[in-house]
Amino acid sequence: MKRILLLLLVTSGFSQTAEWIYYNNAGDTNSAYRIKPDGTENELIMENAVISDISEDGLKILFDTNGIILLVDTESMDTLTVDNDGINPRFTSDENVIIYYKYMIGNPEGDQLYKYSFLDSLETLIADSCHRYIQNGIMSPNKQQFVFFQSNQDSLDVVIA
């Protein structure tokens, strides 16, 4: 049983806080779970949502629910909702600001990258012509820079924002 659990955690990605390990189950890709490090408790925390990022202190989780972004406080379970067609949200170094993509239907090389502030609900376009089918971008370890691919006529550019 422990080997199966470890395999599930390793294959689906996870993050550990002091009391819980949060993960997306590889067999149930539309639901998020958490488990105690000793394996004593394993529970579904949100159906039809995927964990996209966890804050540095482990107290906030960003969920992607296909166009609706949820920010959940893990202590109080208070939830802030951003209903703006955003996907794949990530925390920045200022955890009150996130970045995410918006798919432009019918144009896989025309997706847009935005940032959103939870303090003033301000949404700002960072880049357009982002390429959907190549890695959705990588946040730097200090969460101050984001690397992504941008379409430029017949080529792809690597962009750091």
Side-chain angles (χ1 to χ4, degrees):
M1 175 65 178
K2 287 184 180 181
R3 285 185 183 177
I4 294 171
L5 179 59
L6 180 60
L7 179 62
L8 285 175
L9 293 175
V10 170
T11 59
S12 64
F14 65 93
S15 177
Q16 181 174 352
T17 64
E19 297 179 21
W20 293 99
I21 298 171
Y22 293 86
Y23 67 100
N24 299 313
N25 188 333
D28 181 4
T29 57
N30 291 326
S31 297
Y33 295 81
R34 68 182 185 176
I35 188 170
K36 291 282 188 180
D38 63 5
T40 56
E41 297 178 49
N42 186 19
E43 60 187 39
L44 172 70
I45 56 171
M46 192 168 295
E47 288 184 315
N48 300 316
V50 175
I51 297 170
S52 286
D53 202 4
I54 297 179
S55 64
E56 290 293 319
D57 61 9
L59 299 178
K60 297 176 186 174
I61 300 176
L62 282 173
F63 290 94
D64 181 344
T65 63
N66 293 320
I68 299 173
I69 297 169
L70 304 175
L71 173 67
V72 177
D73 182 309
T74 59
E75 291 182 324
S76 65
M77 295 310 281
D78 288 341
T79 303
L80 294 173
T81 302
V82 181
D83 187 0
N84 63 357
D85 296 326
I87 59 161
N88 198 25
R90 297 284 184 255
F91 283 109
T92 63
S93 59
D94 174 357
E95 292 180 350
N96 291 311
V97 176
I98 61 171
I99 60 171
Y100 53 88
Y101 283 96
K102 285 188 179 181
Y103 283 161
M104 298 294 113
I105 306 229
N107 186 5
E109 296 178 356
D111 294 341
Q112 298 174 336
L113 181 64
Y114 284 87
K115 71 178 181 177
Y116 179 87
S117 170
F118 286 105
L119 298 177
D120 58 12
S121 301
L122 183 64
E123 179 181 62
T124 306
L125 177 66
I126 296 173
D128 60 6
S129 302
C130 300
H131 202 284
R132 176 181 317 170
Y133 297 114
I134 298 176
Q135 179 61 283
N136 279 335
I138 299 170
M139 183 65 74
S140 67
N142 65 4
K143 297 194 177 259
Q144 293 183 1
Q145 295 174 315
F146 189 73
V147 177
F148 60 95
F149 290 95
Q150 191 171 38
S151 299
N152 185 7
Q153 296 178 355
D154 295 332
S155 66
L156 286 175
D157 295 335
V158 176
V159 179
I160 300 174

